[in-house]
Amino acid sequence: MSKIDLTSLEWCELIFKDRNKNYGAYKMRQELGKRQTVALIIVTVVALVGFTLPRLIRMAIPEQKEEMVEVTQISALEEPEVKEENIIKKVEPVAPPPALKSTIKFTTPVIKKDEEVQDEDMLKSQDELSETKVQISIADVKGNDELNGQDIADLQEVITQTPEKKQEPYTMVEQMPQFPGGQAELLKYIAKNLRYPTISQENGIQGKVILRFVVSAEGKVENVQVLRSLDPYCDKEAVRVVQSLPQWIPGKQNGRNVPVYYTCPIVFKLQ
């Protein structure tokens, strides 16, 4: 049996013998060989372009040299220890000296009886002054304003001290601060002096305001803060009552008085 070309017209005629050749399948079968040939050419061209295009692009673009970039990893280093003597301290500005007149120290002579004058108070001769080891000096001051300057005798030495750094309050100490009479007296004082704001009562507001304040080393109530708010009017009244507290027994740490934080709830409750 001879081989039959499935794309040939003879095969197409054999298939459609005694059939309707006006049907579209007959025409498609006739053009099958042409379509396959065109498809093969298109695939071949696309493949050639796909393989040759990168090479053509590399040939068209000049070759560039690769630059090597060195990346150095920087590790976190511990800060060097700085000695206290190497720390540059801020120099406080010094006030300029006051305007002074030129003066010479002079001691006003006092007339006494001979028997009241002691040997060391008697006027010494030049020879005695040369032989003694006692140094005698005269306070000469060269002034800088003879007309409006101030006499040095009228000046008083003013010693200024650097203000001490305020100690940070403690949260817990060995001996906590205490209201005189204890916790019961504190609650009694608050209940007696607290005034429920009328506008808060009318709005039906009730609850708790939590305050924090500092009992200083002297036992004074300072720095009152609202930790949990209830109502602006209730908050204000709670702060007012706490600020009016009398002096406390201060807290102690290592046997000395220290400032301590103290937390106090203030309750507003409708009857």
Side-chain angles (χ1 to χ4, degrees), residues 179 189 193 221 224 237-247:
F179 188 80
Y189 179 92
N193 294 275
V221 174
V224 183
E237 176 62 18
V239 171
R240 183 196 68 80
V241 171
V242 170
Q243 287 178 340
S244 70
L245 290 174
Q247 188 164 348

Side-chain angles (χ1 to χ4, degrees), residues 228-268:
R228 193 174 76 181
S229 174
L230 174 63
D231 171 77
Y233 302 99
C234 293
D235 295 348
K236 185 176 180 180
E237 176 62 18
V239 171
R240 183 196 68 80
V241 171
V242 170
Q243 287 178 340
S244 70
L245 290 174
Q247 188 164 348
W248 288 48
I249 301 172
K252 289 189 177 182
Q253 182 71 12
N254 296 328
R256 63 186 183 90
N257 296 350
V258 292
V260 183
Y261 282 118
Y262 195 93
T263 303
C264 179
I266 308 293
V267 180
F268 292 87

Side-chain angles (χ1 to χ4, degrees), residues 108-113 116-117:
T108 304
V110 178
I111 300 175
K112 295 183 178 181
K113 295 181 180 180
E116 295 178 357
V117 179

Side-chain angles (χ1 to χ4, degrees), residues 97-113:
L100 297 175
K101 296 180 180 180
S102 298
T103 58
I104 298 177
K105 183 178 180 181
F106 176 75
T107 303
T108 304
V110 178
I111 300 175
K112 295 183 178 181
K113 295 181 180 180

Side-chain angles (χ1 to χ4, degrees), residues 38-54:
V38 173
L40 181 60
I41 293 173
I42 292 174
V43 171
T44 304
V45 171
V46 171
L48 289 174
V49 172
F51 283 113
T52 58
L53 186 60

Side-chain angles (χ1 to χ4, degrees), residues 4-268:
I4 300 176
D5 186 3
L6 298 178
T7 62
S8 64
L9 293 177
E10 290 81 2
W11 172 253
C12 181
E13 292 295 336
L14 180 61
I15 294 296
F16 284 91
K17 185 178 179 181
D18 300 329
R19 294 186 181 181
N20 184 10
K21 294 183 179 180
N22 294 327
Y23 187 60
Y26 175 73
K27 181 175 284 190
M28 291 178 63
R29 177 68 68 174
Q30 279 185 320
E31 298 175 354
L32 178 61
K34 185 188 294 185
R35 290 201 308 274
Q36 288 182 343
T37 303
V38 173
L40 181 60
I41 293 173
I42 292 174
V43 171
T44 304
V45 171
V46 171
L48 289 174
V49 172
F51 283 113
T52 58
L53 186 60
R55 180 172 296 179
L56 293 175
I57 293 175
R58 286 198 297 268
M59 292 174 63
I61 299 175
E63 184 178 359
Q64 297 180 353
K65 294 182 179 180
E66 295 183 357
E67 296 182 0
M68 299 296 293
V69 180
E70 183 179 359
V71 179
T72 304
Q73 183 178 2
I74 302 176
S75 58
L77 300 179
E78 296 182 357
E79 295 184 0
E81 182 180 358
V82 180
K83 295 183 178 180
E84 185 176 356
E85 59 267 19
N86 295 333
I87 299 176
I88 301 176
K89 298 182 179 179
K90 185 178 179 181
V91 179
E92 297 294 336
V94 180
L100 297 175
K101 296 180 180 180
S102 298
T103 58
I104 298 177
K105 183 178 180 181
F106 176 75
T107 303
T108 304
V110 178
I111 300 175
K112 295 183 178 181
K113 295 181 180 180
D114 293 342
E115 56 271 15
E116 295 178 357
V117 179
Q118 300 180 3
D119 293 340
E120 58 268 17
D121 294 334
M122 295 183 63
L123 184 65
K124 299 184 183 297
S125 65
Q126 185 64 36
D127 294 336
E128 291 175 335
L129 292 175
S130 301
E131 294 176 358
T132 184
K133 295 181 180 180
V134 178
Q135 295 182 353
I136 300 177
S137 62
I138 299 176
D140 293 337
V141 177
K142 186 176 181 181
N144 49 18
D145 191 345
E146 300 296 337
L147 295 178
N148 302 318
Q150 190 175 2
D151 195 335
I152 191 172
D154 297 333
L155 295 179
Q156 295 182 354
E157 184 180 4
V158 179
I159 301 176
T160 59
Q161 296 181 351
T162 304
E164 296 182 359
K165 187 176 179 182
K166 192 172 182 180
Q167 186 178 6
E168 289 295 327
Y170 288 81
T171 304
M172 292 294 296
V173 291
E174 297 172 355
Q175 182 178 332
M176 292 295 290
Q178 186 177 7
F179 188 80
Q183 189 73 12
E185 289 297 322
L186 173 61
L187 297 177
K188 186 185 298 184
Y189 179 92
I190 293 174
K192 180 180 178 181
N193 294 275
L194 189 66
R195 301 290 180 264
Y196 208 135
T198 304
I199 188 171
S200 299
Q201 294 184 57
E202 294 175 351
N203 293 330
I205 296 174
Q206 60 180 349
K208 186 183 298 183
V209 179
I210 297 180
L211 302 178
R212 186 181 75 167
F213 54 91
V214 176
V215 179
S216 69
E218 294 76 26
K220 297 179 181 179
V221 174
E222 301 175 344
N223 194 21
V224 183
Q225 298 176 340
V226 178
L227 293 185
R228 193 174 76 181
S229 174
L230 174 63
D231 171 77
Y233 302 99
C234 293
D235 295 348
K236 185 176 180 180
E237 176 62 18
V239 171
R240 183 196 68 80
V241 171
V242 170
Q243 287 178 340
S244 70
L245 290 174
Q247 188 164 348
W248 288 48
I249 301 172
K252 289 189 177 182
Q253 182 71 12
N254 296 328
R256 63 186 183 90
N257 296 350
V258 292
V260 183
Y261 282 118
Y262 195 93
T263 303
C264 179
I266 308 293
V267 180
F268 292 87

